[in-house]
Amino acid sequence: MTDSHETATGEFATREDVDARGGSAPAPALPSTPSPAPSSAPSFAPDSLVLNRKLPLWYQVSQSLRASILGRPQDASLRLPTEEQLATHYGVSVLTMRQALKELETEGLISRHRRRGTFIEPRARRATPVRLLGSVDAIVAQQSGDATTVLGHGTVPVPGDLAEFFPDCGEVVSFRRLRRDGESGEPTNWAENAVRPEVAARIDLTDLERWPMTKVLHDIVGVKISRITDTVEARLADPVTADLLQVPLLSPILHYTGVTYDEKGRVVDVARIRYRGDRFSFSLTVEAR
């Protein structure tokens, strides 16, 4: 990640902005943390994060840490660094860090033990909330954690319902992926992305098996994302969705559409994700000015 972060409105928050609030700059790396796992297991280290001054700090930290937990290597340590280490890493106060950890504990991703530390819950099952708060890191967090299979990809004519997003393109590259729960193997959602051809040419399929499309575009391909527009609605499962998600035909699903814009205002990706209705919920937080 760079030293500036593009918000949902296209504005930037820099490390200096964070420092002006009284926060300290994130440390480049966390020190090694004792782990109950064998010494050969890599220690757990969360991804870096550049804070956005317009969003609650605890929320940004919890979503970034959530994505790191769900996207960690299978043999990584289950023990998290201390509150103080995490607070230094993210550049926030210990109180803010505690609030972020409390959110993850409520969700069932971690457990906290007095004098022993904080640990990742590897077998936690949850109904994952889809939250919309305008952060690229938050969008990545929603899509992380499941085992992903690339079902197929290829160049296709721009679908009629997406023509408004790609007025200068006759074709897009379609990527179809199925996500399964990492523990049970149960299908949780399937995604279909329509990507601008010149951007799609730089995408490695092996990266899509590990990371969400948003992270691949932002961190690996290097697209400078200015904003993502989200729409979430209830729909009924069509035959393809019913077959892939192993649910009855016409059963309720959560249909997410995410339109990703680059710094020039062009649409680079339209993601359509169908979530099983029994595995996900939707919540929206509106902050008062």
Side-chain angles (χ1 to χ4, degrees):
M1 302 284 287
T2 64
D3 282 350
S4 62
H5 175 68
E6 296 185 76
T7 71
T9 60
E11 298 179 3
F12 290 84
T14 64
R15 293 186 188 278
E16 288 73 21
D17 292 324
V18 178
D19 291 343
R21 289 195 314 273
S24 57
L30 284 172
S32 300
T33 306
S35 169
S39 58
S40 59
S43 59
F44 178 82
D47 293 338
S48 61
L49 172 68
V50 178
L51 296 169
N52 178 346
R53 63 188 175 185
K54 291 192 173 183
L55 300 177
L57 297 183
W58 68 266
Y59 174 81
Q60 296 178 72
V61 171
S62 69
Q63 291 299 289
S64 178
L65 185 54
R66 181 182 187 276
S68 297
I69 289 173
L70 295 179
R72 72 191 187 282
Q74 290 187 350
D75 58 347
S77 170
L78 295 180
R79 185 172 187 174
L80 292 182
T82 65
E83 287 180 350
E84 291 77 11
Q85 289 173 326
L86 287 170
T88 298
H89 176 74
Y90 286 115
V92 298
S93 69
V94 172
L95 289 177
T96 295
M97 195 66 237
R98 286 176 184 167
Q99 188 174 3
L101 291 172
K102 182 178 180 181
E103 171 78 3
L104 298 181
E105 184 178 25
T106 300
E107 190 178 335
L109 282 178
I110 63 174
S111 60
R112 312 186 72 191
H113 306 274
R114 187 176 179 82
R115 296 192 179 89
R116 288 182 54 208
T118 302
F119 297 87
I120 298 169
E121 290 288 345
R123 296 181 179 274
R125 292 288 299 275
R126 59 205 173 276
T128 306
V130 177
R131 296 188 176 102
L132 304 181
L133 246 170
S135 163
V136 171
D137 292 289
I139 299 301
V140 170
Q142 305 306 330
Q143 303 171 5
S144 298
D146 292 334
T148 302
T149 300
V150 176
L151 300 175
H153 77 291
T155 302
V156 299
V158 176
D161 59 338
L162 300 185
E164 63 178 299
F165 300 116
F166 300 101
D168 58 335
C169 294
E171 297 178 325
V172 291
V173 179
S174 174
F175 296 88
R176 301 171 77 247
R177 292 163 295 134
L178 176 66
R179 298 191 183 100
R180 297 179 180 274
D181 183 273
E183 183 66 27
S184 67
E186 180 182 59
T188 59
N189 64 87
W190 80 277
E192 188 173 24
N193 292 77
V195 182
R196 184 174 288 273
E198 64 270 26
V199 175
R202 291 179 280 160
I203 295 175
D204 189 324
L205 292 182
T206 57
D207 290 329
L208 287 181
E209 293 177 348
R210 181 181 181 189
W211 302 111
M213 178 65 81
T214 305
K215 184 176 181 68
V216 171
L217 292 174
H218 188 274
D219 292 356
I220 300 176
V221 176
V223 173
K224 295 183 178 179
I225 298 175
S226 64
R227 70 184 188 276
I228 300 175
T229 301
D230 297 322
T231 303
V232 180
E233 57 187 316
R235 290 192 181 180
L236 301 179
D238 56 46
V240 173
T241 297
D243 179 60
L244 288 174
L245 300 187
Q246 299 177 14
V247 297
L249 183 64
L250 301 182
S251 61
I253 63 167
L254 199 62
H255 190 282
Y256 162 89
T257 302
V259 183
T260 300
Y261 297 81
D262 67 10
E263 61 180 349
K264 297 179 180 179
R266 301 181 309 167
V267 173
V268 294
D269 169 48
V270 177
R272 291 177 290 186
I273 308 176
R274 292 82 165 176
Y275 295 94
R276 283 182 55 148
D278 60 345
R279 291 296 304 274
F280 290 86
S281 61
F282 167 74
S283 67
L284 174 66
T285 299
V286 178
E287 294 291 326
R289 291 186 179 274

